[in-house]
Amino acid sequence: MQKPVISRNGTQLPPYNTTYYFVQLIDHSDPSKGTFEQRFWHTYEFYEAGILTVLHTGPVIFFTPGEENAFQYIGYLTNVTFNGLLSQAQNGTTIVLEHRFFGLSNPLPSLTGENLRYLTLQQSIDDIEYFVKNVNLPMPGGNHLDAPWIMVGGSYSGALTSYTMDNKPGLFYAGYASSAPVQAMYDYWGYFEPIRENMPANCSADVEAVIEHITEVFEGGNMTAIQEIKDTFGMGNVQHLDDVAGVRSNLWDWQDMQPTTGPGAAFYNFCDALEVKNGTVASAGGWGLDYALAAWGAYWRSSYLETMCGGEDRRECLDSYDSTATYFTNTTIDNPYRSWNWILCNELSFSQSSPPTGIPALVSRIVQPEYDIRQCYYWYSDVFNAQNAPPMANGAAALSDQRYGGWNVSVDHLFFANGKRDPWREGTVSADGLNIPSTASQPILVSDGFHASDLIVDFGEADPSVGAVQKRALEVFATWLSEWKSV
């Protein structure tokens, strides 16, 4: 148990990790289906007597981390995050609410496809509305706070902030959406563009050369050459070529990068393995195909296969065609990847595949959205079959954009913060070529940051451009809150 929290006026408050439970509806379209307990965390550390109850200006800062067990996000109650910073500046109170079907907030006892039918964007938005309108916060006057509510989110929960404000006008007085991929997409090849543009030039050159070679060989049909590549990466007995080409872990490590990331980070180690030869760093053009292919293979075998597969046979470990694999059949709760994939298969899609012809590729053109669609059938075989295809295959992303605004969202008091080096940038309102104007009522600020960098105070201190976004956001919210009037 953590130590008690001491408020500004010296009052001893419960520790940040004190868990509270809200009685939430399983199905907002049919309350007779019953209820479940939805976990939340709360503090009023920066609340001062009279601010909320007399002057009616101290905000409630609401946050849901989205596709994770929310317990690991209780730090978002504090001023090491933008949430707490805003609360501190405006004498507010902070909340972290766990998303339905993530962590231990489960409407039903397992994550079968049939049960996950209650995991939709709309049910999740309705959860938020029902919580805001009915929660009795564990603080003085917590059952009737006459205060403005502000929703803060990053990544998916940033998109959920935009979706909620678009779908439930007036529920939140203001919102802050960081790295929010508001535009759902079927083929999200743009995920790798910020990586390609911002990774070391020598590393990018060599990765592109290796990937182009792999694609040519795999499409060429020379079985000897194909086997050589498979052996190089330690996947000699992996049957399906898209399983070999579809391994993107080295590139996905980019999403863990932040302004404070230094030597020893996974992505830097990957590039060093390709670009440092006998103590010499390659020029911007890289070492070329032959060296890079061998170096990447050696690094993959030693650093990733052992971690991913251990002593398991490589074919069994990496075979995405085995629908009986535990990876697909485990329906126990607190399995965020299963819950998140349900949202992707049904509403958001975001297949992270190769780019169109003519654009340099970090991912083999063997990898197409169909690779992910096929796995939707395996994940949720009790729901999807030949007669009932995953909505991802039939325009689900476009439908979500129509329902919740996507890039076309227009909401007062919604602040967007994005990062140039964020792999989700191309789904945000700051995507290349989009040119959505920043306005006083819907500001859009872009830093040199990575994914949701502006939500963490330390990252703002490490990168002045991120700090400038945080500073400006605090100023904008101060102005907006000064204009708030009790309804």
Side-chain angles (χ1 to χ4, degrees), residues 234 237-239 305 308-319:
N237 68 340
V238 175
Q239 180 179 359
L305 276 186
M308 291 174 63
C309 302
E312 186 180 3
D313 178 82
R314 300 301 185 250
R315 178 174 176 173
E316 293 179 2
C317 174
L318 300 172
D319 185 6

Side-chain angles (χ1 to χ4, degrees), residues 223-480:
M223 299 309 297
T224 300
I226 289 172
Q227 190 62 45
E228 287 178 356
I229 288 178
K230 292 165 64 175
D231 290 341
T232 295
F233 285 88
M235 295 187 279
N237 68 340
V238 175
Q239 180 179 359
H240 300 280
L241 295 185
D242 52 359
D243 280 339
V244 178
V247 175
R248 290 152 280 179
S249 300
N250 296 133
L251 300 173
W252 285 328
D253 285 336
W254 180 271
Q255 188 163 320
D256 295 329
M257 300 276 281
Q258 287 297 347
T260 54
T261 301
F267 193 88
Y268 287 147
N269 287 343
F270 164 60
C271 282
D272 285 349
L274 272 61
E275 305 309 324
V276 181
K277 179 168 57 172
N278 299 325
T280 301
V281 179
S283 65
W287 291 115
L289 173 62
D290 291 342
Y291 181 82
L293 177 60
W296 192 350
Y299 181 74
W300 174 257
R301 293 194 309 270
S302 65
S303 298
Y304 276 81
L305 276 186
E306 290 302 321
T307 300
M308 291 174 63
C309 302
E312 186 180 3
D313 178 82
R314 300 301 185 250
R315 178 174 176 173
E316 293 179 2
C317 174
L318 300 172
D319 185 6
S320 73
Y321 285 78
D322 180 6
S323 62
T324 66
T326 303
Y327 176 75
F328 292 123
T329 60
N330 178 13
T331 61
T332 57
I333 64 170
D334 201 14
N335 181 353
Y337 200 56
R338 183 177 183 85
S339 297
W340 176 237
N341 271 283
W342 173 264
I343 296 175
L344 297 182
C345 291
N346 284 275
E347 296 187 88
L348 297 180
S349 300
F350 284 127
S351 179
Q352 295 169 15
S353 54
S354 60
T357 302
I359 296 177
L362 300 184
V363 175
S364 172
R365 302 190 195 282
I366 298 290
V367 181
Q368 297 296 325
E370 290 76 15
Y371 184 76
D372 295 322
I373 292 172
R374 172 178 53 77
Q375 294 182 58
C376 291
Y377 285 99
Y378 298 166
W379 281 99
Y380 317 106
S381 58
D382 59 327
V383 173
F384 300 138
N385 50 51
Q387 289 73 43
N388 183 34
M392 177 182 179
N394 297 309
L399 183 59
S400 294
D401 293 332
Q402 292 173 12
R403 287 174 174 168
Y404 304 111
W407 282 330
N408 296 316
V409 65
S410 180
V411 177
D412 285 344
H413 299 163
L414 177 55
F415 190 108
F416 285 107
N418 297 312
K420 291 180 181 177
R421 294 181 284 182
D422 177 15
W424 289 96
R425 185 192 69 200
E426 295 305 286
T428 75
V429 293
S430 300
D432 284 347
L434 203 55
N435 301 319
I436 296 175
S438 176
T439 65
S441 63
Q442 191 172 292
I444 303 172
L445 270 71
V446 181
S447 73
D448 293 329
F450 295 87
H451 191 54
S453 299
D454 48 275
L455 288 181
I456 304 298
V457 173
D458 281 353
F459 299 158
E461 295 174 351
D463 184 329
S465 71
V466 175
V469 170
Q470 294 170 337
K471 180 176 182 294
R472 181 57 184 153
L474 291 174
E475 295 169 349
V476 168
F477 278 94
T479 299
W480 287 346

Side-chain angles (χ1 to χ4, degrees), residues 207-226:
V207 168
E208 290 171 29
V210 170
I211 290 301
E212 182 178 4
H213 175 67
I214 289 175
T215 300
E216 289 177 356
V217 171
F218 283 6
E219 291 181 341
N222 183 320
M223 299 309 297
T224 300
I226 289 172

Side-chain angles (χ1 to χ4, degrees), residues 173-224:
Y173 177 67
Y176 184 91
S178 172
S179 292
V182 294
Q183 183 78 0
M185 299 181 196
Y186 169 64
D187 185 353
Y188 186 50
W189 60 268
Y191 178 92
F192 300 100
E193 281 298 277
I195 303 175
R196 184 178 65 83
E197 294 166 359
N198 292 285
M199 67 193 289
N202 52 11
C203 192
S204 175
D206 278 339
V207 168
E208 290 171 29
V210 170
I211 290 301
E212 182 178 4
H213 175 67
I214 289 175
T215 300
E216 289 177 356
V217 171
F218 283 6
E219 291 181 341
N222 183 320
M223 299 309 297
T224 300

